[in-house]
């Protein structure tokens, strides 16, 4: 053991007044999440539509990350605690980049804060938007339930998101394609993790199988909404910058079928959750869970609109 | 006769063990060790592992409310690191013949302890920074010497843990420094948090040396390398200039530089409170154990399913191993 560790403390004072944070560890080196990336909007792409689209994918990641992070210190074993936190962290990173891209593409999306507020635009979007301005699918909103519900929801979500990100990697927007290329690697792991647990629970004990079947009934009603095309998604797909989710439905179906068939589990026969006044999550119409989720997510930030964190 | 010879053998083993410790070499899991040394290690490593796991709760309390996406990522990663530290330490403990399952059962039953600091609540976001700065800071003071502890697996775990803890401490300090550059409300939040955590942080070094029952033997065996009071003094001396740089004060009217000693003089924590918290009367003792118990109980069916699935897979593969000599021969 070197004596270097005895002085773990000494570094603290050396740069305390310097704003360069490079001395700090994880998480502190991304002041501008899009630093160094070409953020020019590609020709033929409508910036407002691109912004709205980034918000959709960013909000899916943000809200689901929030849910998964609630497993921290509550998981069935330490390994699962660590894995679920990893997945939540990956999605949080995706959310941060996508919200920053949304704000850069369309600054009008960003809530207006008091003059002089140091809150960066991606944080203003996450913490100062009202519920109806969130564009995530309702699929990611409900509480975690037990581990079986989490596994079933994660399997479906990550299969859907992976299909989406794989297509998005060829987006004409260099920012979106870069975010997607990074995300594909992450979400491939998420899907693998969920599929392995799905199989384990299906063939584990009677109890785990019973819970998994019950979980499918809970998760499935919001499945169809994942593939419902919003006008914004149709436009970005036409412009070559985004993906129409309906085009991923077949692939998602096939991948899930593989997992379900080896697990000996059928898709439950339950009616899909209907829209609210014709709208769903992408239109800003959410579940009753969403308000409480946002109240928790936003409470500290909103109490300090001029706060520096 | 046999008894005498056994006693002679043991005397020789003990002499060899003490020589190894005396040379500051490592004791490894295969080596002979006195039963009391093994028990002391299990107690200490388990307490440390439990502290990492229980320690996830007070900070985990703020993950869903972190006020920026960057802070949320840092906090989530930090709490995840603590789970990882718990894993290494439980593994180190398993080399001494006690399983993670048994240790968790003892924690939940209140038969093993964890650091009392985690029985205090986190009441504002500044607490995330204060825990990083003062609590992780005190932990580092306690733990750095353990990188050279006599038991190999423990010492090696501690090297990695200390590296990560020093990241956490810097992140905590950086959060507080950032908040101090923010609004008046944020500065007040930081000061209030430091006021609440200063004394409990000093208690983390344990009772004064005169009242520390385990220190002498642990030092002789090279499990522990500094006394409680020495480490406490070191912590105070290091923290005072940091507080000054940060712009906060510590709630101790006796805190003053002593030129003659070359150290700071400081007041004593309320040791009655310390004893009460250790005995279970802290603000969060019952809550922390109930939380851990609930997670463990709620997860039982998942762990059982994983075992059942793994067993079924092994049984399915068994016929294959029959046709391949060398495989499955240990079953």
């Amino acid at each position: 053991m070197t004596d270097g560790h005895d002085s773990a403390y000494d570094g603290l004072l050396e740069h305390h007044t310097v704003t360069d944070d490079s001395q700090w560890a994880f998480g502190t080196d991304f002041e501008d999440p899009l630093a160094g990336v070409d953020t020019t909007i590609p020709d033929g792409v409508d910036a407002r539509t691109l912004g709205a689209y980034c918000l959709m994918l960013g909000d899916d990641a943000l809200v689901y990350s929030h849910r998964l992070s609630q497993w921290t210190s509550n998981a069935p074993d330490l390994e699962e605690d660590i894995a679920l936190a990893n997945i939540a962290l990956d999605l949080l990173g995706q959310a941060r980049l996508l919200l920053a891209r949304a704000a850069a593409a369309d600054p009008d999306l960003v809530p207006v804060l008091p003059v002089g507020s140091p809150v960066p635009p991606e944080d203003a979007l996450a913490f100062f938007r009202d519920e109806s301005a969130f564009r995530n699918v309702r699929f990611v909103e409900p509480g975690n339930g037990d581990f079986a519900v989490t596994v079933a929801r994660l399997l479906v979500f990550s299969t859907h998101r992976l299909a989406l990100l794989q297509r998005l990697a060829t987006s004409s927007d260099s920012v979106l394609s870069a975010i997607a290329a990074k995300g594909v690697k992450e979400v491939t792991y998420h899907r693998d993790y969920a599929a392995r647990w799905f199989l384990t629970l299906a063939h584990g004990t009677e109890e785990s199988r019973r819970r998994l079947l019950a979980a499918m009934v809970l998760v499935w009603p919001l499945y169809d909404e994942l593939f419902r095309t919003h006008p914004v998604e149709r436009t970005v797909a036409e412009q070559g910058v985004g993906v129409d989710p309906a085009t991923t439905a077949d692939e998602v179906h096939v991948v899930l079928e593989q997992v379900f068939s080896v697990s000996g589990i059928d898709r439950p026969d339950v009616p899909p959750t209907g829209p609210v006044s014709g709208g769903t999550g992408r239109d800003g119409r959410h579940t009753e869970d969403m308000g409480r989720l946002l109240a928790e997510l936003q409470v500290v930030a909103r109490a300090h609109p001029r706060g520096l964190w | 006769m046999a008894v005498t010879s056994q006693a002679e053998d043991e005397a020789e083993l003990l002499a060899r063990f003490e020589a190894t410790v005396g040379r500051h070499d490592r004791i490894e899991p295969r080596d002979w060790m006195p039963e009391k040394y093994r028990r002391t290690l299990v107690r200490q490593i388990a307490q440390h592992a439990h502290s990492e796991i229980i320690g996830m709760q007070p900070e985990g309390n703020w993950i869903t409310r972190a006020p920026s996406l960057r802070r949320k990522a840092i906090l989530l990663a930090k709490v995840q690191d603590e789970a990882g530290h718990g894993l290494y330490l439980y593994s180190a403990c398993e080399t001494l013949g006690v399983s993670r399952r048994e240790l968790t059962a003892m924690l939940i039953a209140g038969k093993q302890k964890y650091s009392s600091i985690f029985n205090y609540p986190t009441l504002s976001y500044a607490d995330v920074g204060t825990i990083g700065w003062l609590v992780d800071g005190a932990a580092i003071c306690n733990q750095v010497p353990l990188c050279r502890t006599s038991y190999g697996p423990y010492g090696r775990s501690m090297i990695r843990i200390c590296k990560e803890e020093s990241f956490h401490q810097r992140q905590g300090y950086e959060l507080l420094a950032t908040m101090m550059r923010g609004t008046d409300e944020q500065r007040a939040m930081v000061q209030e948090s430091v006021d609440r955590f200063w004394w409990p942080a000093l208690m983390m070094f344990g009772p004064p040396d005169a009242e520390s029952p385990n220190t002498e033997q642990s030092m002789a065996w090279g499990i522990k390398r500094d006394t409680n009071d020495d480490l406490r003094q070191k912590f105070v001396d290091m923290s005072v200039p940091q507080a000054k740089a940060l712009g906060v004060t510590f709630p101790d009217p006796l805190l003053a530089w002593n030129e003659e000693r070359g150290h700071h003089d400081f007041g004593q924590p309320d040791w009655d409170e310390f004893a009460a918290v250790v005995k279970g009367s802290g603000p969060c003792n019952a809550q922390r154990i109930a939380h851990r118990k609930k997670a463990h109980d709620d997860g039982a069916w998942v762990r059982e399913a994983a075992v059942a699935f793994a067993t079924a897979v092994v049984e399915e593969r068994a016929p294959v191993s029959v046709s391949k000599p060398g495989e499955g021969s240990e079953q």
Side-chain angles (χ1 to χ4, degrees):
Chain A
M1 194 51 241
T2 68
D3 284 332
H5 287 287
D6 285 333
S7 59
Y9 253 68
D10 297 348
L12 276 188
L13 286 183
E14 287 163 13
H15 308 283
H16 68 272
T17 54
V18 180
T19 46
D20 166 26
D21 287 336
S22 57
Q23 60 170 322
W24 307 113
F26 173 84
T28 50
D29 59 344
F30 45 43
E31 279 307 324
D32 175 3
L34 298 183
V37 181
D38 177 13
T39 54
T40 320
I41 310 282
D43 287 343
V45 173
D46 175 49
R48 296 180 74 95
T49 314
L50 176 62
Y53 182 60
C54 291
L55 220 46
M56 293 175 173
L57 300 188
D59 288 346
D60 286 352
L62 177 65
V63 172
Y64 199 39
S65 168
H66 179 96
R67 280 298 179 219
L68 291 172
S69 75
Q70 290 177 315
W71 273 106
T72 303
S73 81
N74 295 302
D77 222 337
L78 295 181
E79 287 82 352
E80 270 42 73
D81 221 294
I82 291 170
L84 292 168
N86 245 341
I87 297 171
L89 270 169
D90 286 343
L91 292 172
L92 183 58
Q94 292 177 18
R96 192 159 185 265
L97 294 166
L98 287 160
L99 295 184
R101 183 54 175 155
D106 181 7
D108 288 345
L109 288 172
V110 182
V112 177
L113 293 177
V115 177
S117 167
V119 174
E122 66 275 16
D123 284 350
L125 281 171
F127 297 101
F128 292 88
R129 252 182 316 157
D130 290 333
E131 180 178 330
S132 60
F134 274 78
R135 291 289 176 264
N136 56 280
V137 289
R138 291 179 295 177
F139 189 85
V140 293
E141 295 169 18
N144 284 321
D146 68 10
F147 189 68
V149 176
T150 291
V151 164
R153 188 173 287 132
L154 180 61
L155 175 67
V156 172
F157 179 78
S158 55
T159 304
H160 156 258
R161 194 167 179 88
L162 182 58
L164 229 147
L165 292 178
Q166 280 168 337
R167 287 160 178 76
L168 198 60
T170 58
S171 168
S172 62
D173 180 40
S174 54
V175 179
L176 271 185
S177 67
I179 295 171
K182 181 172 181 284
V184 162
K185 291 179 201 154
E186 296 167 345
V187 179
T188 300
Y189 162 73
H190 306 171
R191 191 181 71 172
D192 183 55
Y193 174 84
R196 279 187 292 127
W197 266 112
F198 196 93
L199 190 62
T200 303
L201 298 183
H203 293 302
T205 59
E206 263 178 53
E207 168 80 350
S208 66
R209 188 171 181 84
R210 181 188 68 73
R211 284 176 182 261
L212 190 61
L213 288 166
M216 288 289 283
V217 173
L218 273 179
V219 165
W220 211 255
L222 286 164
Y223 180 80
D224 287 357
E225 187 182 326
L226 296 173
F227 308 100
R228 186 181 147 126
T229 309
H230 186 274
V232 162
E233 290 167 315
R234 184 168 301 119
T235 307
V236 289
E238 285 163 5
Q239 293 175 350
V241 75
V243 180
D244 176 351
T247 62
T248 68
D250 288 348
E251 180 185 316
V252 172
H253 183 92
V254 168
V255 172
L256 289 177
E257 199 48 46
Q258 287 173 6
V259 182
F260 294 159
S261 70
V262 288
S263 302
I265 298 233
D266 293 327
R267 281 154 212 264
D269 184 19
V270 287
T273 305
V276 182
S277 303
T280 61
R282 294 278 190 246
D283 307 294
R285 302 222 175 83
H286 297 283
T287 62
E288 289 182 349
D289 290 312
M290 185 65 170
R292 275 184 291 275
L293 184 151
L294 289 181
E296 191 176 349
L297 177 80
Q298 298 181 334
V299 62
V300 179
R302 287 212 182 204
H304 302 273
R306 293 171 195 273
L308 182 65
W309 303 100
Chain B
M1 292 294 285
V3 172
T4 314
S5 125
Q6 200 181 339
E8 278 169 8
D9 285 352
E10 191 152 327
E12 196 183 307
L13 287 166
L14 183 63
R16 203 179 302 157
F17 167 84
E18 283 176 346
T20 305
V21 172
R23 286 195 307 272
H24 300 294
D25 277 351
R26 302 270 206 209
I27 303 295
E28 295 299 335
R30 298 178 282 200
D31 296 341
W32 181 90
M33 61 188 82
E35 178 55 22
K36 208 173 156 215
Y37 173 88
R38 195 189 71 85
R39 278 208 308 272
T40 303
L41 273 173
V42 168
R43 179 178 61 82
Q44 184 172 331
I45 301 173
Q47 180 167 334
H48 191 168
H50 297 328
S51 298
E52 297 283 357
I53 299 307
I54 296 292
M56 295 169 71
Q57 293 179 33
E59 288 183 277
N61 180 36
W62 288 93
I63 291 172
T64 53
R65 291 176 291 169
S68 77
L69 297 175
R70 173 170 167 264
R71 288 297 170 197
K72 192 187 284 286
I74 292 172
L75 181 58
L76 186 50
K78 182 195 167 175
V79 177
Q80 185 192 36
D81 278 352
E82 288 166 1
H85 296 174
L87 265 183
Y88 313 149
L89 290 163
Y90 283 128
S91 303
C93 222
E94 287 186 332
T95 65
L96 294 161
V98 192
S99 71
R100 196 203 306 181
R101 190 169 48 82
E102 291 170 297
L103 294 168
T104 302
M106 283 192 271
L107 168 68
I108 288 170
K111 288 179 186 159
Q112 283 182 337
K113 294 189 192 312
Y114 54 89
S115 177
S116 270
I117 191 77
F118 301 122
N119 290 318
Y120 291 89
T122 51
L123 302 178
S124 77
Y125 202 78
D127 288 3
V128 170
T130 307
I131 287 182
W133 174 39
L134 293 178
V135 173
D136 293 340
I140 292 169
C141 282
N142 271 327
Q143 291 170 2
V144 162
L146 293 175
C147 296
R148 291 186 294 269
T149 194
S150 58
Y151 188 58
Y154 189 27
R156 287 186 290 272
S157 312
M158 291 316 304
I159 291 172
R160 179 153 178 193
I161 289 172
C162 282
K163 281 183 188 165
E164 293 183 355
E165 290 293 353
S166 69
F167 285 150
H168 298 165
Q169 199 221 7
R170 285 160 180 246
Q171 284 166 351
Y173 188 81
E174 192 252 357
L175 168 60
L176 298 182
T178 306
M179 289 178 70
M180 291 302 285
R181 289 190 279 118
T183 63
D184 288 344
E185 289 87 351
Q186 288 183 293
R187 278 184 283 278
M189 201 192 288
V190 172
Q191 181 63 60
E192 189 276 334
S193 173
V194 170
D195 286 345
R196 250 184 308 114
F197 272 98
W198 174 248
W199 293 116
L202 288 190
M203 293 177 196
M204 286 177 67
F205 298 93
D209 292 346
E211 292 152 41
S212 176
N214 301 314
T215 295
E216 202 182 333
Q217 178 66 80
S218 287
M219 287 187 71
W221 276 336
I223 294 175
K224 200 167 167 175
R225 297 207 172 262
D226 299 273
T227 74
N228 296 351
D229 285 336
D230 286 348
L231 289 170
R232 192 165 13 247
Q233 179 71 62
K234 192 175 174 186
F235 175 73
V236 171
D237 288 342
M238 288 191 295
S239 299
V240 167
Q242 291 166 11
K244 207 169 176 186
L246 208 50
V248 297
T249 56
F250 292 132
D252 180 359
L254 299 177
L255 186 63
W257 177 249
N258 182 327
E259 191 68 51
E260 209 172 296
R261 289 203 305 123
H263 291 291
H264 291 86
D265 292 335
F266 58 97
Q268 285 295 307
D270 179 347
W271 291 113
D272 291 339
E273 176 182 314
F274 176 74
V277 174
V278 169
K279 281 192 188 128
S281 289
C284 300
N285 298 57
Q287 174 192 334
R288 298 290 184 240
I289 290 296
H291 181 129
R292 183 70 193 101
K293 183 177 186 316
K294 183 176 188 321
H296 191 68
D297 291 350
D298 287 354
W301 69 270
V302 179
R303 297 189 301 275
E304 282 160 20
V307 170
F309 182 71
T311 310
V313 169
V314 169
E315 279 168 5
E316 236 171 73
R317 281 185 189 160
V320 180
S321 70
V322 172
S323 61
K324 281 187 188 172
E327 272 190 359
S329 56
E330 285 171 30
Q331 288 179 5

